[in-house]
Amino acid sequence: DAGITQSPRHKVTETGTPVTLRCHQTENHRYMYWYRQDPGHGLRLIHYSYGVKDTDKGEVSDGYSVSRSKTEDFLLTLESATSSQTSVYFCAISEPVGEPYEQYFGPGTRLTVT
Amino acid sequence: AQSVTQLGSHVSVSEGALVLLRCNYSSSVPPYLFWYVQYPNQGLQLLLKYTTGATLVKGINGFEAEFKKSETSFHLTKPSAHMSDAAEYFCAVKGYQKVTFGTGTKLQVIP
């Protein structure tokens, strides 16, 4: 299994508070992604990173920011959590050399915003 | 932009029956296509992928998929369903620097 961990695994927070989710990898993969999974929507890309300090928006980036100061860590911040951000969040990694965009997923973080 | 459409959000089959999960893609360039599986309370894991070459692709757990350019399809099949196949399955297509996923199909296997 690819070495990807997410923390926390479960979190309950109140509307309006900032929340940071962490993704940590031990595979030295260049690309890292944050997705949210909601019933009926599958996985939707929030942000991704193609290198340290290099990030870009996905299709549902409003209300989220990311940072990547080291290859192994990719942080997702909900600047002011809203109930619509209640979801399961997955981190994924990939290395575009050799295996084209085959992604490896973390175990997920279940976030509830009350 | 690349996209995939999965037909049927829920599919039920009897144990031992054929599994067929449908995926159609849209891509302006020759596509790289993937099927992922998600078991309850877990992340996704790769079942199989098509990049170039042979259009019939074999994956883990007895699954296979056939790339049909003329039909823009990449359907997932397994000859005989097992109870352990109950999961959610996602089709995906590679785009520029990222992958786009379908909305998923939940497979129920009836004993």
Side-chain angles (χ1 to χ4, degrees), chain A:
Chain A
D1 289 344
I4 310 167
T5 56
Q6 293 184 231
S7 58
R9 294 292 314 279
H10 301 270
K11 186 170 182 66
V12 179
T13 192
E14 293 185 349
T15 298
T17 60
V19 176
T20 295
L21 309 183
R22 181 183 184 233
C23 178
H24 178 78
Q25 60 145 328
T26 58
E27 305 296 321
N28 202 36
H29 280 22
R30 187 156 61 103
Y31 281 62
M32 299 185 75
Y33 308 81
W34 276 108
Y35 294 91
R36 60 177 291 172
Q37 183 177 24
D38 305 288
H41 292 278
L43 270 76
R44 293 181 291 174
L45 182 64
I46 305 171
H47 282 280
Y48 67 100
S49 169
Y50 47 95
V52 173
K53 299 193 189 304
D54 293 322
T55 64
D56 205 349
K57 296 178 180 180
E59 59 181 302
V60 290
S61 59
D62 287 349
Y64 300 94
S65 62
V66 290
S67 66
R68 191 169 178 200
S69 58
K70 298 184 291 185
T71 298
E72 57 265 36
D73 289 324
F74 192 32
L75 303 180
L76 176 71
T77 297
L78 288 64
E79 295 144 8
S80 177
T82 67
S83 58
S84 64
Q85 293 176 312
T86 292
S87 186
V88 180
Y89 291 85
F90 287 99
C91 174
I93 65 173
S94 71
E95 184 54 59
V97 175
E99 295 292 345
Y101 296 97
E102 175 176 333
Q103 297 191 344
Y104 301 92
F105 283 80
T109 294
R110 185 173 295 277
L111 176 68
T112 302
V113 183
T114 61

Side-chain angles (χ1 to χ4, degrees), chain A residues 9 31 33 35 37 40-43 45 48 50 90 99-103 105-107 110, chain B residues 32 34 36 38 41-44 46 49 51 88 90 94-99 101-103:
Chain A
R9 294 292 314 279
Y31 281 62
Y33 308 81
Y35 294 91
Q37 183 177 24
H41 292 278
L43 270 76
L45 182 64
Y48 67 100
Y50 47 95
F90 287 99
E99 295 292 345
Y101 296 97
E102 175 176 333
Q103 297 191 344
F105 283 80
R110 185 173 295 277
Chain B
Y32 289 168
F34 308 87
Y36 285 83
Q38 183 182 33
N41 299 312
Q42 295 186 25
L44 280 69
L46 184 71
K49 62 180 183 282
T51 54
E88 190 161 17
F90 293 90
K94 171 190 171 299
Y96 176 66
Q97 291 189 324
K98 51 186 182 275
V99 170
F101 288 84
T103 53

Side-chain angles (χ1 to χ4, degrees), chain B residues 42-107:
Chain B
Q42 295 186 25
L44 280 69
Q45 61 185 86
L46 184 71
L47 264 182
L48 49 80
K49 62 180 183 282
Y50 168 79
T51 54
T52 58
T55 56
L56 183 62
V57 180
K58 294 187 185 299
I60 62 172
N61 302 336
F63 283 92
E64 60 183 36
E66 186 170 12
F67 171 68
K68 291 188 176 180
K69 183 178 178 180
S70 61
E71 299 178 8
T72 62
S73 69
F74 190 57
H75 301 333
L76 182 71
T77 60
K78 183 174 180 178
S80 177
H82 192 272
M83 295 300 295
S84 61
D85 295 326
E88 190 161 17
Y89 294 81
F90 293 90
C91 182
V93 62
K94 171 190 171 299
Y96 176 66
Q97 291 189 324
K98 51 186 182 275
V99 170
T100 300
F101 288 84
T103 53
T105 298
K106 284 189 177 177
L107 176 66

